[in-house]
């Protein structure tokens, strides 16, 4: 798995997890969904992604999007 796939998989897990928590625990967890969505949006404009930095330090190889 390369860096791009790891970041997208992590974002997907965070969104699905926060939606489940919002449904079963408290609607306030939907703020996490909004945060992840805003982070994806700002990454599309700036190219800066904190999760990519963490995954790069964990040893994931570079992909096409995050280098």
């Amino acid at each position: 798995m390369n860096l791009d796939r790891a970041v997208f998989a992590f974002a997907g897990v965070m969104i699905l997890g926060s939606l489940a928590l919002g449904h079963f625990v408290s609607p306030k967890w939907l703020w996490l969904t909004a945060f992840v969505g805003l982070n994806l949006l700002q990454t599309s404009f700036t190219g800066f992604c904190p999760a990519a930095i963490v995954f790069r330090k964990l040893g994931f190889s570079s992909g096409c999007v995050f280098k």
Side-chain angles (χ1 to χ4, degrees), residues 7-63:
V7 169
F8 294 142
F10 179 71
V13 167
M14 293 299 293
I15 289 171
L16 291 175
S18 65
L19 286 174
L21 287 168
H23 180 73
F24 293 112
V25 178
S26 170
K28 292 183 180 183
W29 279 102
L30 296 176
W31 286 106
L32 180 58
T33 306
F35 173 76
V36 174
L38 286 172
N39 190 29
L40 288 169
L41 185 63
Q42 73 85 23
T43 298
S44 70
F45 287 109
T46 65
F48 173 75
C49 180
I53 295 169
V54 172
F55 284 125
R56 188 176 301 118
K57 289 184 179 182
L58 290 174
F60 285 84
S61 61
S62 293

